[in-house]
Amino acid sequence: KALNDKFTAYPGMRAFSSRGSIISSNDGGTRSVNLDITGPEFGPIYETAFAAYQRAQQVFDGPQVQSDPPSLTLGQPLVELRPDWERIAELGLTAEEFGYAAAALIDGVFVDEFFLADDKIDIFLYSTAGSAQELGDVGHLPMHTPQGAVVPLGAIAEIVQTVDTDTIRRVSGQRTVTLNIIPPRSVALETAVGIVQTDVIEHLQDTGAVPPGVVLDISGASDQLQVTREALSGNYVVAVLLCYLLLVAIFSHWGYPLLIMTTVPLGIAGGIAGLWLLNAVGTQLPHLGFAAIRQSFDMITMLGFLTLVGTVVNNPILIVDRALHNLRVAGLGVKEAVREALESRLRPIVMTTVTTICGLSPLVFIPGAGTELYRGVGAIVLFGLFFATLVTLIFLPALLIEVLGWRVRQVGAVAAVPDVPSTRQLELVSKRSWERS
């Protein structure tokens, strides 16, 4: 911002600065919406690009807009030779012969290569005037025809002085001008793509600011957003499936892991709610004298949901495994088994949750250099784990009592594992031994 304010103070100067990306070669980083403007002629392309630039400045509050090529005006002097094809055909010249002869008379033309030992020497053909001739003399250059006549170049071609660009950029073979539009940090990338599509592209088309033959298309990080979203969606399904199959292998049962997996969607809901709460409260911190905290829902933040899949299931595993042990080994009732499991596993659950939250809190709540990169992942994991822990301690025991109680009623009392003394039996044996002593 300081650099932009410095350079925009000069009349007629456009300033552009952006935060680069370590995972993308895109000029604007992972938040750039690239607007490609293509067409057959540079004049209409540059007119449309300048109109799109002005419109982007209006619909966004302080955006960063850069163009490629950097200039949005055609200021490079250009001389065009516009052949009179009927006259050229009368003289027996072809288009290739005319172009080759005109290039040789003006700038010189490549003929062939000459190899001298290991050195390659390019051979060019020039006129007697060479490249030092004046622009006004181009029309008087002699053009020899196959019929043996010599005519001045100006008699068979019109010489027009115009302006053009000093840089020709092509995308998929089409002449293109690209606008890198980076919205403010308060605007999410997906929202910015929608604004560019509706308030920039469609507005210019509806107002007739887009000439015939000119095409506007969105590319850049916005395209990568859709591809990444589809890839993460598929990977997320695979991660959930693998986590479930791993729990099935651990418990040797298809049903009990489903109880544990119920915490996954609830943890995701907690991560989304926590990210919203972080943005709602973080934007008010400047009024209290603190640095503002705001985290958009970007592509890196989405990775936090993959991390949650393997994190939120740890605490439910402890309770479900202990409750099943109490039923099968200790011979306790359903409610007693779940109550004892919750009491015995409360300490390790709280310890692991508190250490994780304390470890992630500086990344999420303390702004600093580099924290903006992984703050989204940290916020999703922190709030998701915190909410999932509350669910594990409140919702999961009630659900576990209902499911295990239904199973006991359907199958009957759960027998203790043979040859394995229960906790109650061990207590009775210890009590009798103490009384005898």
Side-chain angles (χ1 to χ4, degrees), residues 42 46 68-69 164-171 173-177:
F42 276 121
Y46 274 74
D68 187 14
D164 207 328
T165 177
D166 57 350
T167 303
I168 299 179
R169 184 172 185 272
R170 296 181 182 272
V171 175
Q174 299 291 326
R175 296 178 177 179
T176 304
V177 172

Side-chain angles (χ1 to χ4, degrees), residues 243-328:
C243 183
Y244 173 71
L245 294 178
L246 182 60
L247 293 176
V248 170
I250 293 174
F251 286 93
S252 301
H253 196 277
W254 292 94
Y256 295 133
L258 292 177
L259 297 175
I260 300 174
M261 297 300 293
T262 55
T263 59
V264 173
L266 297 176
I268 292 175
I272 296 176
L275 187 62
W276 173 84
L277 182 63
L278 178 67
N279 291 329
V281 177
T283 53
Q284 305 299 322
L285 292 179
H287 302 289
L288 303 177
F290 299 96
I293 299 176
R294 185 172 184 87
Q295 178 61 46
S296 60
F297 191 72
D298 53 19
M299 291 179 285
I300 299 181
T301 304
M302 297 179 187
L303 297 177
F305 295 114
L306 288 176
T307 307
L308 273 181
V309 175
T311 305
V312 299
V313 298
N314 293 332
N315 294 335
I317 289 176
L318 297 178
I319 295 180
V320 173
D321 179 70
R322 182 66 178 182
L324 294 177
H325 177 272
N326 292 337
L327 282 174
R328 295 171 177 173

Side-chain angles (χ1 to χ4, degrees), residues 95-111:
E96 182 181 0
E97 292 172 343
F98 171 78
Y100 195 86
L105 291 172
I106 298 174
D107 289 330
V109 66
F110 176 78
V111 177

Side-chain angles (χ1 to χ4, degrees), residues 123-138:
I123 302 175
F124 286 83
L125 177 64
Y126 294 92
S127 67
T128 55
S131 59
Q133 53 193 328
E134 298 292 335
L135 180 61
D137 298 334
V138 173

Side-chain angles (χ1 to χ4, degrees), residues 300-436:
I300 299 181
T301 304
M302 297 179 187
L303 297 177
F305 295 114
L306 288 176
T307 307
L308 273 181
V309 175
T311 305
V312 299
V313 298
N314 293 332
N315 294 335
I317 289 176
L318 297 178
I319 295 180
V320 173
D321 179 70
R322 182 66 178 182
L324 294 177
H325 177 272
N326 292 337
L327 282 174
R328 295 171 177 173
V329 179
L332 300 179
V334 174
K335 292 184 179 181
E336 291 76 9
V338 176
R339 182 183 297 110
E340 195 279 335
L342 187 61
E343 292 175 353
S344 62
R345 300 307 186 198
L346 180 61
R347 178 180 294 180
I349 289 176
V350 172
M351 290 178 60
T352 56
T353 303
V354 170
T355 54
T356 304
I357 291 177
C358 292
L360 292 175
S361 294
L363 175 64
V364 178
F365 299 111
I366 302 179
T371 58
E372 69 280 355
L373 184 62
Y374 293 109
R375 180 184 291 130
V377 177
I380 293 294
V381 175
L382 187 150
F383 292 108
L385 180 61
F386 177 76
F387 186 74
T389 301
L390 295 180
V391 171
T392 300
L393 299 178
I394 299 174
F395 169 76
L396 182 61
L399 178 62
L400 194 57
I401 290 175
E402 291 295 328
V403 173
L404 294 180
W406 173 83
R407 179 169 177 79
V408 169
R409 290 191 299 269
Q410 293 294 324
V411 180
V414 181
V417 176
D419 301 329
V420 180
S422 65
T423 305
R424 181 60 178 169
Q425 292 172 342
L426 292 176
E427 292 177 353
L428 292 176
V429 170
S430 300
K431 182 178 180 181
R432 292 172 182 173
S433 300
W434 179 81
E435 290 176 351
R436 291 175 182 177

